[in-house]
Amino acid sequence: MTQQADADRTIRHPRSHALFEEAQTLLPGGVNSPVRAFRGVGGDPVFIDRAEGAYLYDVDGNRYLDYVQSWGPMILGHVYPSVLAAVEETARRGFSFGAPTQAESELAKLVIGSVPSVEMIRFVNSGTEATMSALRLARAYTGRSKIIKFSGCYHGHADMLLVQAGSGVATLGLPDSPGVPAEATAHTLTVAYNDANAVEQLFHTFPNDIAAIIVEPVAANMGLVLPQPGFLERLRELTQKYHALLIFDEVMTGFRVALGGMQQRMGITPDVTCFGKIIGGGLPVGAYGGRREVMQQVAPLGPMYQAGTLSGNPLAMAAGIATLQELRKPGQYEKLEQKSELLGEGITRVLHDTGINAQLQRIGAMFCLYFAQEPVTDYASAKRSDTALFSRYFWEMLARGVYLPPSQFEACFISLALEDAMLEETVQSVEFVLRQLA
Ligand SMILES: *Cc1c(COP(=O)(O)O)cnc(C)c1O
């Protein structure tokens, strides 16, 4: 990073800088979730004051087109009128009761009506809780202990899922973070994304011990890695053959790549699906759901214990219901697809014209521009990206009013609030910045 660029940043963000200085004395790293600290790109994060539609406004009065969308939930854009109205109206009747409300069934009906594999659902408060509970459910249902996850897939921060990304060969899990005892990940088997042969090997080795495979059907936490043709199909076949459950973690892809998520796009039926992000419309929520016979294991109907003081919280349910009602209107996903295409074609043309060697990977309303020489298919190839180049790109885009995720290994999101003119403006910014970097 040049000194000039550093100086520009301080001039543009003096209040953010001051607030970050204070926050660092109070919160570890100044944040409540690590990527927010901008460590992936170096420098201080911008502090947000408010948002509306496609835009974020920071505390220094800068305006940005938002391609982060709170890491996925804000697919309608910020402060969407019907969602705001629903939350305001609900708040007047009380924030939380710890007793059943009709809204929980309303949101359940919307999810069940949109995602065919889901016959019953349990709401929780985060994606982390959803995956943690789904795995407990799979273990309860199968009476087995081992699970398979893929390196570079993120399923929240539960101990058993914080496993070192091994590449290539199937490896027995070792903890990724201090504080996770080896025992907690002893049953977690990790293989490379898109490597169905390695999965088959594990089933050969442990034919009666694997409770479930958990997978992001599009890997959206190492940038954006698409499943190769046949990969998810093989996972479905192998789990069926060995009587293990297939868990789709659609916390990111659910209601984003299609109304019915990636499973609808692919025509694959998992046993259990995890949700979060969009189904809470920006309020804290998660959920896991699936086949009735499997979900019947969950307490109090079945013996698998799982509970939550704020689970099914009225405000979160209201925001989720209003969001899904909007998304279920005809033509919404076609619109998202058109926006994604407009942006994708623009960036592809810029890459061609500038001769920059980068990979645009894209599906539905999500994309990632990897500064990598080759297409990215797994965690190992994602890690070959030029993160220093990404970081220059990130800061230049920010200076031009485009807020991207502050890491090469995060996906960018398109919202319905992004108008075609805004997308075209973004392409122009990409062109300007990449010409500078070329
Ligand atoms: C965000 C995410 C999670 C974790 O959700 P939180 O609400 O942050 O706990 C889990 N899985 C996937 C695929 C995610 O993208």
Side-chain angles (χ1 to χ4, degrees):
M1 190 61 58
T2 64
Q3 275 175 348
Q4 180 58 43
D6 277 335
D8 281 355
R9 276 195 244 153
T10 318
I11 293 162
R12 292 179 62 90
H13 310 119
R15 294 200 63 193
S16 280
H17 179 72
L19 290 176
F20 190 50
E21 292 289 302
E22 181 189 34
Q24 284 173 289
T25 68
L26 303 166
L27 310 166
V31 292
N32 284 299
S33 194
V35 269
R36 293 182 200 168
F38 279 31
R39 295 271 170 106
V41 289
D44 297 350
V46 293
F47 275 55
I48 304 304
D49 178 46
R50 67 194 174 86
E52 196 181 342
Y55 290 108
L56 290 178
Y57 297 83
D58 73 11
V59 290
D60 289 291
N62 300 302
R63 187 181 79 166
Y64 308 97
L65 283 172
D66 182 15
Y67 287 93
V68 177
Q69 294 182 14
S70 187
W71 306 94
M74 312 313 301
I75 192 164
L76 300 176
H78 294 280
V79 205
Y80 194 81
S82 65
V83 182
L84 175 64
V87 172
E88 278 181 346
E89 201 274 324
T90 305
R92 284 201 196 90
R93 289 186 284 122
F95 303 163
S96 182
F97 317 117
T101 60
Q102 189 186 347
E104 293 155 78
S105 295
E106 284 302 314
L107 187 56
K109 277 190 271 184
L110 286 168
V111 177
I112 290 167
S114 309
V115 188
S117 74
V118 177
E119 294 174 348
M120 284 185 120
I121 191 163
R122 164 65 57 88
F123 291 107
V124 292
N125 301 294
S126 67
T128 295
E129 263 188 81
T131 58
M132 202 174 86
S133 310
L135 286 168
R136 184 181 305 148
L137 174 60
R139 285 165 162 169
Y141 179 80
T142 58
R144 300 170 174 185
S145 298
K146 293 193 188 302
I147 57 168
I148 297 177
K149 84 172 281 287
F150 297 92
S151 48
C153 278
Y154 179 67
H155 304 291
H157 64 86
D159 280 357
M160 66 191 155
L161 289 164
L162 278 186
V163 175
Q164 189 110 45
S167 63
V169 198
T171 45
L172 283 168
L174 285 175
D176 222 14
S177 163
V180 178
E183 292 83 355
T185 56
H187 296 297
T188 306
L189 307 163
T190 309
V191 299
Y193 198 76
N194 275 322
D195 191 351
N197 289 337
V199 173
E200 185 160 25
Q201 277 300 320
L202 287 176
F203 275 111
H204 278 305
T205 315
F206 306 107
N208 302 310
D209 302 319
I210 296 168
I213 297 178
I214 185 164
V215 64
E216 286 183 78
V218 175
N221 286 283
M222 51 169 148
L224 189 81
V225 178
L226 298 180
Q228 287 177 343
F231 172 60
L232 295 173
E233 289 84 348
R234 290 268 312 278
L235 300 186
R236 181 65 285 187
E237 282 162 25
L238 287 165
T239 43
Q240 261 158 1
K241 182 172 169 197
Y242 289 94
H243 307 291
L245 296 189
L246 180 61
I247 302 173
F248 271 12
D249 179 353
E250 298 230 44
V251 170
M252 201 73 111
T253 49
F255 297 91
R256 175 160 289 283
V257 299
L259 189 67
M262 191 59 177
Q263 54 194 276
Q264 181 194 345
R265 259 184 112 111
M266 301 291 297
I268 295 176
T269 307
D271 300 290
V272 176
T273 304
C274 300
F275 299 96
K277 300 192 169 122
I278 289 176
I279 67 158
L283 272 79
V285 107
Y288 60 105
R291 265 190 5 246
R292 185 173 300 277
E293 180 213 354
V294 179
M295 291 304 290
Q296 280 170 343
Q297 295 293 314
V298 179
L301 187 54
M304 188 215 87
Y305 193 72
Q306 186 272 309
T309 301
L310 294 174
S311 294
N313 174 263
L315 298 176
M317 296 296 105
I321 292 165
T323 300
L324 296 199
Q325 278 171 343
E326 201 56 39
L327 290 173
R328 281 170 64 95
K329 289 182 180 165
Q332 298 286 52
Y333 287 88
E334 286 80 358
K335 264 188 230 162
L336 285 167
E337 208 70 47
Q338 281 160 8
K339 290 178 192 304
S340 172
E341 253 168 52
L342 183 70
L343 192 67
E345 281 165 12
I347 296 176
T348 303
R349 181 182 49 75
V350 171
L351 291 179
H352 179 263
D353 292 353
T354 55
I356 288 256
N357 212 339
Q359 312 293 325
L360 179 69
Q361 309 205 165
R362 181 170 74 82
I363 184 168
M366 54 207 291
F367 66 96
C368 176
L369 185 63
Y370 284 107
F371 290 94
Q373 306 288 318
E374 304 285 337
V376 173
T377 58
D378 58 13
Y379 194 37
S381 48
K383 282 197 294 192
R384 285 197 284 271
S385 304
D386 184 343
T387 53
L389 193 57
F390 174 84
S391 136
R392 288 170 62 200
Y393 166 74
F394 169 85
W395 284 109
E396 292 294 338
M397 291 297 285
L398 193 74
R400 296 185 65 79
V402 181
Y403 188 82
L404 299 172
S407 163
Q408 172 72 94
F409 305 110
E410 300 287 351
C412 305
F413 298 112
I414 292 166
S415 73
L416 281 162
L418 280 162
E419 291 163 15
D420 289 359
M422 301 170 180
L423 296 164
E424 279 156 15
E425 181 193 319
T426 304
V427 172
Q428 282 166 12
S429 298
V430 172
E431 176 153 23
F432 179 87
V433 171
L434 291 188
R435 282 201 191 284
Q436 280 192 326
L437 299 184

